Amino acid sequence: VTVPTFLAIARPALDSRAPAGREVSRSPKAGARRRRGVAVSSWAIGALSALLAWQGWQALASSPDGPRHAITAEGMVLVGPAVLAVVAFALLAERLWPAVPRPLNSVGHRQDALYLAVYVLVAVPVVTLLGTGFAVTVLRLAPWISRHPFAGFPRWTLVLLAVLLTDACNWVAHYLNHRLGTFWRYHALHHSQEEMSILTAFRAHPLVHASFQVAALPIFLLGTAGEIPLAVLVVYIVLSTLPHANVRWSFGPLGHLLVSPSYHRMHHDEADLRGVNLGTVFVIWDLLAGLAVFPTKGSAPVATGLRGRPVPVEQSPDAGSCFEVLVRQLFDPLWKPTQQPLPEEARR
Ligand SMILES: [Zn+2]
Ligand SMILES: [Zn+2]
């Protein structure tokens, strides 16, 4: 199979996993350190994020309410009462109807609870500043985008369009996170969870959000009339959080429209190299791309995580405290991957 060069070097979902059937060292420490070099493109993403965040900070600092107010407001949407209520509800459901039974204080749950704290304290400010910086930069570089060609349309059609296009942009960003090595290095952390639960929704590298900024583009294009109302936005965030729950729900017929926990679990399948079920809330983009795999009734839940543990994980025998694991996981994308590429036959 001839693979274009850029694809050959950008096989993240494949390269980060160990060749099937070969025994791999479960320790990320042993022997790996010497081979790893600086991943320059990962640092570039960090630098770009810092630049955008600085732009965002400056823009917010000159507004009457200031950055602090903006960060609090964003936090109330991203991890506000509705989202926390869903987390509490899912934690209860995971006790009653678990897909994979495990104790509440399992190491994976504790690590992802720490990520919830990181999300509130670090990711929310990062997302706020990045988002503002991205908006300022886009409007400066492409002022034509705010001409609002759809201003005459009824508001509800623009809102519907904004939700759908935002979801489509999230799909594209997620797809690229699985196809481009630089992005994958930041996204791999989310996939490294072997004990998936509702808390895994918050297990994300703060810098992964840089690539998802494109999801804001439809709003710029549709203008303020296409701005997604707060209630709709909260429902959207709730629907994007719930699929991580450790339950067998496939949502019945609705599961062919919305991403369900069973459907998203297959995206986290440690044995599936293709990167299927990339949808955030709607399934349609996976269907259009031929990347939708629906759960079959009665089948056992798939094992999640990354084979060969290319990202340091809390389940390793020598993992150390959850804070040590956190630090190692957050700095991991800055270094070249530990795993060798897969043999040709294992590729798609
Ligand atoms: Zn993914
Ligand atoms: Zn996920």
Side-chain angles (χ1 to χ4, degrees):
V1 184
T2 322
V3 189
T5 323
F6 113 90
L7 277 178
I9 55 164
R11 288 264 180 193
L14 311 180
D15 295 356
S16 63
R17 291 152 194 253
R22 202 193 294 175
E23 201 34 57
V24 190
S25 164
R26 291 299 246 180
S27 162
K29 275 182 185 169
R33 205 174 284 157
R34 257 174 293 118
R35 282 184 282 115
R36 304 191 78 181
V38 171
V40 179
S41 53
S42 298
W43 288 77
I45 290 213
L48 187 72
S49 301
L51 196 70
L52 284 177
W54 173 242
Q55 300 273 325
W57 177 270
Q58 281 189 315
L60 290 171
S62 60
S63 77
D65 288 332
R68 232 180 134 148
H69 178 266
I71 289 167
T72 311
E74 185 100 8
M76 286 308 282
V77 177
L78 291 175
V79 267
V83 177
L84 291 178
V86 165
V87 171
F89 166 71
L91 283 172
L92 184 69
E94 287 175 350
R95 297 292 93 212
L96 297 173
W97 313 286
V100 179
R102 78 174 76 92
L104 184 63
N105 73 341
S106 78
V107 67
H109 292 178
R110 277 185 275 139
Q111 192 70 29
D112 287 354
L114 185 59
Y115 271 106
L116 176 55
V118 170
Y119 192 79
V120 174
L121 297 173
V122 183
V124 168
V126 165
V127 167
T128 311
L129 297 178
L130 264 182
T132 311
F134 183 71
V136 169
T137 308
V138 167
L139 294 176
R140 188 184 299 150
L141 295 177
W144 54 265
I145 207 167
S146 60
R147 265 186 222 147
H148 311 325
F150 308 101
F153 284 60
R155 181 161 155 72
W156 72 267
T157 55
L158 294 185
V159 169
L160 187 69
L161 203 60
V163 171
L164 282 173
L165 290 179
T166 298
D167 199 58
C169 287
N170 272 329
W171 188 93
V172 172
H174 194 184
Y175 179 84
L176 293 177
N177 269 269
H178 279 257
R179 287 294 181 276
L180 301 176
T182 308
F183 289 156
W184 170 254
R185 279 197 281 279
Y186 285 107
H187 185 53
L189 168 62
H190 178 65
H191 280 267
S192 66
Q193 183 52 274
E194 297 167 9
E195 298 173 293
M196 211 166 102
S197 76
I198 187 73
L199 298 171
T200 308
F202 306 97
R203 182 191 181 98
H205 198 289
L207 293 183
V208 88
H209 302 290
S211 60
F212 284 90
Q213 289 307 310
V214 289
L217 286 175
I219 310 287
F220 300 157
L221 195 68
L222 296 170
T224 42
E227 212 155 78
I228 303 172
L230 188 64
V232 178
L233 195 62
V234 168
V235 170
Y236 185 87
I237 294 165
V238 162
L239 288 177
S240 67
T241 306
L242 189 62
H244 290 93
N246 177 29
V247 289
R248 282 171 185 257
W249 302 341
S250 61
F251 291 171
L254 205 62
H256 285 258
L257 178 71
L258 298 174
V259 171
S260 69
S262 294
Y263 183 85
H264 190 65
R265 190 179 181 92
M266 296 174 85
H267 175 65
H268 282 259
D269 186 350
E270 61 144 34
D272 197 328
L273 302 173
R274 294 172 296 166
V276 296
N277 299 6
L278 294 149
T280 304
V281 166
F282 297 107
V283 165
I284 181 158
W285 321 114
D286 288 324
L287 286 169
L288 290 174
L291 290 171
V293 178
F294 291 97
T296 45
K297 216 179 162 142
S299 59
V302 297
T304 67
L306 295 174
R307 280 204 179 159
R309 294 183 173 165
V311 175
V313 286
E314 58 274 24
Q315 288 86 3
S316 291
D318 57 352
S321 75
C322 57
F323 292 101
E324 281 176 70
V325 173
L326 175 78
V327 171
R328 266 193 268 135
Q329 287 174 335
L330 292 183
F331 283 93
D332 185 70
L334 299 174
W335 313 104
K336 284 195 174 137
T338 50
Q339 301 293 323
Q340 294 303 309
L342 277 176
E344 198 60 43
E345 73 271 14
R347 295 183 168 172
R348 230 201 267 239

